[in-house]
Amino acid sequence: MAHIVEFDNTGNIIYRGILSSSEVLLYDKLIETLQQDIPQIEQDLKEQYGDSLQYKYNLGKILGDILAKNEVSIKERRRFWDEIKNLATTENRTRAEGTNSKRRSFFEQCYRLSQIEEKTVKKLSWRQWESLLDRSDKNTEDARLFSWIKRFPRKLKEDEWREFLKIMNLYLDEKDTSVFSEEELFEIYDSMIVMADTWLTNLKDFKKGHPSSRKLASLATWSKKYYRNCFSYARSNKEKISEALCQELFKEMML
């Protein structure tokens, strides 16, 4: 499948590679179809779901069908999304996507979201999914993360999710999670939520009781130190991370 790489000075499409006239005609028809279909698809979904998570999820499902129908390979996907973005969609998406990151493409994220079980998708907001799908590390490639999200008994709050990702960066960055059994990995994820929630709860009280503390000016640094202390203490003492342990370490470090 050929892909558009740029437009010439008169606005005509320039294709990558040497194409026969019949191939050019084929791709021109595909573009014409996308220009007709995509705006209508977006409009229909907007009328049904607004700008909700369901809109993105169902758009991803339809995009997946278009990929399959046109035999777009994994390697070609980003260029295909760019074609839709530049030629077909009527939506004005202001979020910067960058030129080298396929994951930051809105259409790629909708597509990837649609590959996850819908029950799991509903556990996070679109903003939370964006923060996860933006990542390009081994953590997001391990499907068990999505299984854990599905298993979690409630929706994850925005602030605890931000802390969860911060802890993931500290503890699992560059680690191959395949070495963990599912039980071990789920226990790690559970401990991250315990640490995040304990930090947020105690921090709220700390701010009230110590509004002039210099530590408030560098909370990102202190939170990372706190999370490292939790993991280090638990590892050294062969102890599971618990709310009580986290509270004690918070007091030792912050008070």
Side-chain angles (χ1 to χ4, degrees):
M1 180 175 182
H3 290 284
I4 304 159
V5 291
E6 59 182 341
F7 298 92
D8 64 19
N9 294 331
T10 60
N12 293 319
I13 296 167
I14 301 174
Y15 289 103
R16 173 169 56 89
I18 301 173
L19 304 176
S20 66
S21 57
S22 60
E23 286 176 320
V24 170
L25 179 60
L26 176 65
Y27 298 129
D28 283 346
K29 286 183 177 179
L30 171 58
I31 292 169
E32 183 180 352
T33 299
L34 292 175
Q35 288 174 325
Q36 292 175 350
D37 292 351
I38 295 297
Q40 188 62 53
I41 289 168
E42 291 175 325
Q43 181 181 333
D44 291 345
L45 290 175
K46 268 291 177 61
E47 290 176 357
Q48 186 172 0
Y49 300 110
D51 195 32
S52 67
L53 181 64
Q54 283 297 111
Y55 167 85
K56 281 88 171 180
Y57 180 80
N58 284 282
L59 177 59
K61 286 288 187 185
I62 295 172
L63 291 173
D65 292 339
I66 294 174
L67 288 178
K69 181 179 179 180
N70 292 283
E71 299 181 347
V72 180
S73 69
I74 295 175
K75 185 178 180 180
E76 293 174 321
R77 277 210 313 256
R78 177 57 199 252
R79 289 186 180 275
F80 191 69
W81 302 142
D82 286 344
E83 291 173 15
I84 294 177
K85 177 184 175 182
N86 294 329
L87 295 172
T89 183
T90 57
E91 295 289 329
N92 181 21
R93 309 197 186 282
T94 57
R95 184 172 186 254
E97 294 182 352
T99 56
N100 298 319
S101 174
K102 182 176 71 175
R103 291 176 182 271
R104 283 187 66 85
S105 164
F106 172 77
F107 296 114
E108 172 70 10
Q109 291 184 335
C110 289
Y111 169 72
R112 291 184 65 206
L113 189 72
S114 73
Q115 305 305 297
I116 303 169
E117 189 177 350
E118 187 171 7
K119 184 177 179 180
T120 305
V121 169
K122 291 179 179 179
K123 287 292 184 71
L124 301 178
S125 68
W126 170 244
R127 181 182 298 179
Q128 289 169 314
W129 280 116
E130 272 189 314
S131 65
L132 185 61
L133 298 176
D134 270 353
R135 299 167 64 97
S136 57
D137 52 31
K138 292 180 180 179
N139 294 307
T140 55
E141 293 173 2
D142 192 328
R144 292 177 297 174
L145 173 58
F146 305 127
S147 298
W148 176 82
I149 294 172
K150 176 185 176 181
R151 165 185 170 276
F152 200 73
R154 58 174 172 79
K155 288 187 176 182
L156 288 153
K157 294 175 287 188
E158 295 284 346
D159 54 357
E160 68 179 340
W161 180 250
R162 285 194 298 272
E163 296 302 314
F164 178 86
L165 293 183
K166 187 188 298 183
I167 301 167
M168 183 183 288
N169 284 337
L170 289 171
Y171 184 70
L172 293 178
D173 188 34
E174 301 302 323
K175 286 188 179 179
D176 182 4
T177 55
S178 66
V179 301
F180 299 115
S181 67
E182 183 174 281
E183 181 180 357
E184 290 171 332
L185 189 58
F186 282 10
E187 185 175 313
I188 292 170
Y189 292 148
D190 288 340
S191 69
M192 290 178 178
I193 287 295
V194 170
M195 284 188 284
D197 286 346
T198 306
W199 167 261
L200 291 167
T201 299
N202 283 273
L203 180 61
K204 185 177 180 181
D205 293 335
F206 180 80
K207 287 179 177 179
K208 290 180 180 178
H210 305 81
S212 302
S213 173
R214 293 181 179 179
K215 292 178 179 179
L216 295 178
S218 54
L219 285 177
T221 300
W222 284 102
S223 66
K224 290 178 181 178
K225 182 177 180 180
Y226 162 75
Y227 296 136
R228 289 193 180 100
N229 286 350
C230 289
F231 277 124
S232 178
Y233 184 93
R235 188 184 303 113
S236 298
N237 295 276
K238 298 181 179 180
E239 183 177 336
K240 284 189 176 182
I241 292 174
S242 65
E243 182 180 349
L245 170 63
C246 292
Q247 285 181 339
E248 186 62 32
L249 292 175
F250 182 94
K251 291 177 183 178
E252 290 179 6
M253 187 183 72
M254 299 294 287
L255 301 179

